[in-house]
Amino acid sequence: MLDSKEFVKRRKQLMRMMGEGAMAILPAAPQRHRNRDSEYPYRQDSDFFYLTGFGEPEAVAVLVPHREQGEYVLFCRDRDPLMETWHGRRAGPAGARERYGADDAYPIGDIDDILPGLLENRERVYYSMGYSPEFDQRLMAWVNRVRARSRGGSHAPVEFVALEHVLHDMRLYKSPAEIKVMRQSASIAAAAHQRAMRMCRPDMMEYEVEAEFLHEFRRAGAWVSYNPIVAGGGNACILHYTENNAPLRDGDLLLIDAGAELHGYASDITRTFPINGRFSPAQRALYEVVLAAQQAAFDCVKPGSHWNVPHDAAVRTLTEGLVELGLLKGKVNELIASEAYRRFYMHRTGHWLGMDVHDVGDYKVGGQWRVLEPGMVLTVEPGLYIPAGSKGVAKKWWDIGIRIEDDVLVTKHGHEVLTKAAPKTVAEIESLMADGAVAGSAARARHA
Ligand code: GLY
Ligand code: MN
Ligand code: MN
């Protein structure tokens, strides 16, 4: 869990960048209705949580640099014994001050009376426009209230600035405390992938393997960072397959893309392994190509490298492998130039990772691919996908979908793979699954 000092530091840094005369407004994420009397599990807005560490809905954070009575104002739900009996504890304004470091805190019901006063005589408002039409309108109403009072000598803000532009750049660079949490999130997910390899047997259902992830995440106090993909055989060729309801067939591969969210930080791991514990020659040949592509991409993750360089390295290795195995015909350079590989590799090699699984941060700056710097975290996730019925492709390759995905921190001199505890080489996977099979049959014998 992050220390409250970390949140103070972030607010100070943002206010320093905003400068005098500015103000930032951030609403909490709304609670989302699932169906009659039932809500989706609440997940705080990442930007709001990044600055406040406050996990409740119906809250608005306001930062007012150099405001004498206090720079950090939090509006939140008032204490209410009846509501708390039904729906859970609330910090209330007093708790917001004592436990969350707010200089001033008010009941959210008072915001219409108080917020226009905070806007008065501020030049610039930092706000992420267009994400919540409802909140956009409320903000405009508050601004109009200030405009209406202008004859009294006060003036309304003259400029709206995209808050996310500044804030997302801050979020892209992970602090030592964030890296520590991301390492934990990565270890939890890596342990779950190991567990799945040990437990997997032919004829299990995909959702039974998914259950192992939920078990492993919850017992570590984590949750999923996105809907897990548990895809046997040809299902792995559907990139965002989340039905997870098919039987696992002896002889097929199983692709699992599942990550944890711990204290608001995501991990994102994909492993692909044989359901029966042994790769077939065709599966193994393709798997080695993807693994080599991932290594080629890793080699380019270091300070000074540009964002697209790991992707280009992975594409080259994948294309070379596809030519070697006869899946593509022609010259490697030409196949890359014509993007012939896209038939089997249609996504990019990674994304930023942080509080959001596809984390914030620009991939290009001034028209150029971003330069990697220490503290950035990204995924490296090459893959190959060959659905059944692929024209001109020998049958032995059909229904093979492989992705290998790890989370990588850019360090001062290179990189650190945060998810390396999840087994990955053919030898590691086959040996772990053989151990799992022995342990499984011993347990069955004991129960017989
Ligand atoms: N799990 C989403 C992704 O790999 O990008
Ligand atoms: Mn990913
Ligand atoms: Mn993933």
Side-chain angles (χ1 to χ4, degrees):
M1 186 106 70
L2 293 173
D3 201 271
S4 59
K5 286 198 208 92
E6 181 88 3
F7 296 100
V8 174
K9 209 160 74 188
R10 292 169 179 177
R11 290 192 293 266
K12 290 249 177 283
Q13 188 185 339
L14 176 62
M15 285 194 275
R16 219 171 25 246
M17 292 195 293
M18 286 160 48
E20 185 121 29
M23 169 169 152
I25 304 181
L26 299 95
Q31 175 74 260
R32 307 229 185 241
H33 186 69
R34 183 172 181 272
N35 60 322
R36 257 180 99 80
D37 289 347
S38 177
E39 311 283 345
Y40 282 106
Y42 185 69
R43 166 61 159 77
Q44 188 53 280
D45 175 80
S46 297
D47 284 341
F48 183 94
F49 195 79
Y50 181 80
L51 290 174
T52 63
F54 191 72
E56 294 182 26
E58 295 181 71
V60 174
V62 182
L63 297 178
V64 198
H66 306 289
R67 177 173 174 263
E68 271 176 27
Q69 310 89 310
E71 298 182 305
Y72 171 32
V73 183
L74 187 62
F75 295 88
C76 62
R77 298 178 305 185
D78 220 346
R79 298 294 311 269
D80 181 333
L82 183 64
M83 291 301 279
E84 290 183 58
T85 298
W86 282 89
H87 303 294
R89 297 186 177 90
R90 298 172 169 192
R97 281 188 294 268
E98 285 153 26
R99 304 208 300 278
Y100 295 93
D103 297 313
D104 258 344
Y106 303 101
I108 186 75
D110 295 349
I111 194 165
D112 287 334
D113 297 330
I114 297 170
L115 208 101
L118 293 171
L119 278 166
E120 228 166 49
N121 299 331
R122 291 276 145 186
E123 307 297 324
R124 296 181 309 288
V125 177
Y126 283 74
Y127 172 66
S128 295
M129 189 89 62
Y131 296 91
S132 162
E134 194 230 324
F135 200 84
D136 291 354
Q137 274 192 0
R138 295 185 68 190
L139 178 56
M140 288 311 127
W142 296 322
V143 171
N144 280 333
R145 291 259 299 277
V146 186
R147 286 175 181 151
R149 287 185 211 155
S150 64
R151 265 173 300 172
S154 57
H155 72 262
V158 290
E159 220 182 304
F160 280 87
V161 187
L163 170 63
E164 70 271 26
H165 186 69
V166 192
L167 195 54
H168 292 178
D169 210 61
M170 280 173 66
R171 279 178 54 191
L172 178 58
Y173 297 85
K174 276 68 181 177
S175 72
E178 289 180 288
I179 290 165
K180 199 168 153 205
V181 178
M182 289 193 75
R183 274 204 192 97
Q184 290 169 340
S185 179
S187 312
I188 293 166
H193 279 271
Q194 280 201 35
R195 183 184 173 97
M197 286 177 196
R198 260 194 236 106
M199 303 289 295
C200 180
R201 301 280 177 279
D203 301 325
M204 280 175 85
M205 300 297 284
E206 290 167 343
Y207 52 70
E208 291 180 81
V209 180
E210 182 181 7
E212 300 298 330
F213 281 83
L214 302 182
H215 172 93
E216 198 67 25
F217 290 175
R218 290 307 292 140
R219 70 198 283 264
W223 191 241
V224 293
S225 53
Y226 52 91
N227 295 326
I229 296 167
V230 183
N235 292 340
C237 300
I238 303 167
L239 295 178
H240 291 163
Y241 175 82
T242 50
E243 290 160 53
N244 303 351
N245 59 1
L248 298 175
R249 290 188 319 213
D250 199 344
D252 278 351
L253 290 176
L254 174 58
L255 180 155
I256 304 178
D257 185 343
E261 181 177 295
L262 182 75
H263 307 316
Y265 286 84
S267 46
D268 181 8
I269 304 182
T270 307
R271 288 292 181 266
T272 309
F273 57 89
I275 288 164
N276 64 15
R278 306 284 301 179
F279 285 88
S280 74
Q283 290 166 350
R284 183 186 179 125
L286 274 177
Y287 188 87
E288 295 288 9
V289 170
V290 178
L291 196 58
Q294 200 200 30
Q295 188 56 54
F298 282 163
D299 293 343
C300 308
V301 178
K302 53 189 170 197
S305 198
H306 287 257
W307 170 260
N308 63 319
V309 176
H311 175 70
D312 291 347
V315 162
R316 176 160 293 274
T317 305
L318 291 172
T319 308
E320 286 168 358
L322 289 166
V323 169
E324 215 160 283
L325 297 175
L327 281 148
L328 285 179
K329 289 179 183 50
K331 291 204 169 65
V332 169
N333 283 345
E334 286 165 16
L335 294 167
I336 292 173
S338 67
E339 301 191 339
Y341 60 87
R342 284 184 66 100
R343 180 174 179 200
F344 303 116
Y345 181 48
M346 58 298 278
H347 60 78
R348 293 200 54 93
T349 306
H351 48 82
W352 302 128
L353 183 74
M355 299 184 79
D356 295 306
V357 66
H358 290 177
D359 206 29
V360 295
D362 290 335
Y363 291 97
K364 276 191 173 177
V365 175
Q368 300 292 319
W369 289 110
R370 186 152 206 152
V371 175
L372 299 180
E373 295 177 60
M376 295 176 174
V377 181
L378 59 143
T379 67
V380 176
E381 50 179 307
L384 287 174
Y385 311 90
I386 311 179
S390 293
K391 288 222 170 57
V393 175
K395 266 198 169 154
K396 65 173 176 181
W397 306 116
W398 288 10
D399 278 339
I400 297 183
I402 298 168
R403 177 163 66 256
I404 308 172
E405 174 174 32
D406 282 283
D407 305 343
V408 186
L409 164 72
V410 183
T411 59
K412 216 156 136 199
H413 301 294
H415 65 263
E416 176 190 335
V417 180
L418 303 176
T419 42
K420 57 179 172 284
K424 189 159 61 173
T425 65
V426 167
E428 280 167 351
I429 290 173
E430 290 191 344
S431 121
L432 178 75
M433 291 187 75
D435 290 350
V438 171
S441 53
R444 278 191 297 279
R446 271 201 305 280
H447 285 103

